[in-house]
Amino acid sequence: MAVRQRTTAYRVNGSAAYAPAYTGNVVRAPRRQEEQYNIPKRAPRRQTVSRPQAAVRQAGHVAPFAVVGFLAVGVFAVLLLLSTLQLHVASDNVVALRNQLADLHTEQASLSAQYEQEFDLQRLQNAVGGSMIRPTADQITYIDMSRPDSVEVFNGSAADTGNGNVFSDLVEYFC
């Protein structure tokens, strides 16, 4: 068992004011042992630190696939930029056409109103007088729209039905 020696003559009980060795701010005098073995303190040694040289690798050749890859990325970037520009132009055209469509709708509404005003039946009856009557059955003509688009002209004479003058028919067709 280690025995601890006291450095003070009596107990302090947590208060340093009663300790006889306490001298406040006064620098204490060196003890005899320190004077006897007055060994000069050594200056700390400075160690030189040398960094290891980094091994430098020689520059290698450029891989052809890397060059082709970078060129492909560049071409695709330019194509993307051009397609974005075309999309922007198309969007501007769509906006302009929508504005034009809105203007045309308003113009159609005003023209339809003018058309309805022009065909007032009461005004027509007054302009024509009492001679306005409903058409009879022989005055009504029906058009058959089930056939494809074609035109047949009949003059009523039987002589025009043949292929008499082909040259005059071609001149009439193209002129």
Side-chain angles (χ1 to χ4, degrees), residues 88-152:
H88 183 69
V89 169
S91 297
D92 286 345
N93 289 341
V94 166
V95 169
L97 289 175
R98 282 187 181 168
N99 291 337
Q100 185 179 2
L101 180 65
D103 293 341
L104 290 175
H105 278 298
T106 57
E107 186 178 353
Q108 178 196 10
S110 65
L111 289 176
S112 295
Q114 287 178 0
Y115 179 77
E116 293 295 326
Q117 288 177 353
E118 291 296 322
F119 288 103
D120 185 18
L121 288 179
Q122 185 65 30
R123 195 175 77 178
L124 286 175
Q125 184 72 30
N126 292 340
V128 174
S131 64
M132 198 163 138
I133 58 172
R134 295 227 176 251
T136 60
D138 61 339
Q139 293 174 333
I140 297 174
T141 305
Y142 292 101
I143 300 173
D144 184 15
M145 302 294 285
S146 63
R147 292 185 178 181
D149 291 340
S150 65
V151 175
E152 296 179 19

Side-chain angles (χ1 to χ4, degrees), residues 2 11 17 19 21 26 40-41 66 70 72 75 79 101 117-118 124 149 153:
R11 276 183 137 169
V26 180
K41 291 185 179 180
F70 280 120
V75 167
L79 289 176
L101 180 65
Q117 288 177 353
E118 291 296 322
L124 286 175
D149 291 340
V153 178

Side-chain angles (χ1 to χ4, degrees), residues 18-125:
Y18 300 111
Y22 180 73
T23 57
N25 285 343
V26 180
V27 178
R28 84 179 163 84
R31 294 186 179 180
R32 285 189 179 179
Q33 291 175 350
E34 290 176 5
E35 288 177 359
Q36 189 178 13
Y37 302 106
N38 194 5
I39 302 172
K41 291 185 179 180
R42 290 189 215 165
R45 285 194 234 171
R46 291 190 181 180
Q47 294 180 352
T48 57
V49 178
S50 63
R51 290 188 176 184
Q53 292 278 334
V56 178
R57 183 174 59 170
Q58 292 182 356
H61 63 281
V62 178
F65 289 116
V67 173
V68 170
F70 280 120
L71 287 177
V73 168
V75 167
F76 289 137
V78 169
L79 289 176
L80 180 67
L81 182 65
L82 290 177
S83 64
T84 304
L85 183 65
Q86 287 176 348
L87 178 66
H88 183 69
V89 169
S91 297
D92 286 345
N93 289 341
V94 166
V95 169
L97 289 175
R98 282 187 181 168
N99 291 337
Q100 185 179 2
L101 180 65
D103 293 341
L104 290 175
H105 278 298
T106 57
E107 186 178 353
Q108 178 196 10
S110 65
L111 289 176
S112 295
Q114 287 178 0
Y115 179 77
E116 293 295 326
Q117 288 177 353
E118 291 296 322
F119 288 103
D120 185 18
L121 288 179
Q122 185 65 30
R123 195 175 77 178
L124 286 175
Q125 184 72 30

Side-chain angles (χ1 to χ4, degrees), residues 165-175:
N165 197 352
V166 176
F167 182 71
S168 65
D169 291 341
L170 286 175
V171 170
E172 183 180 333
Y173 178 75
F174 286 110
C175 292

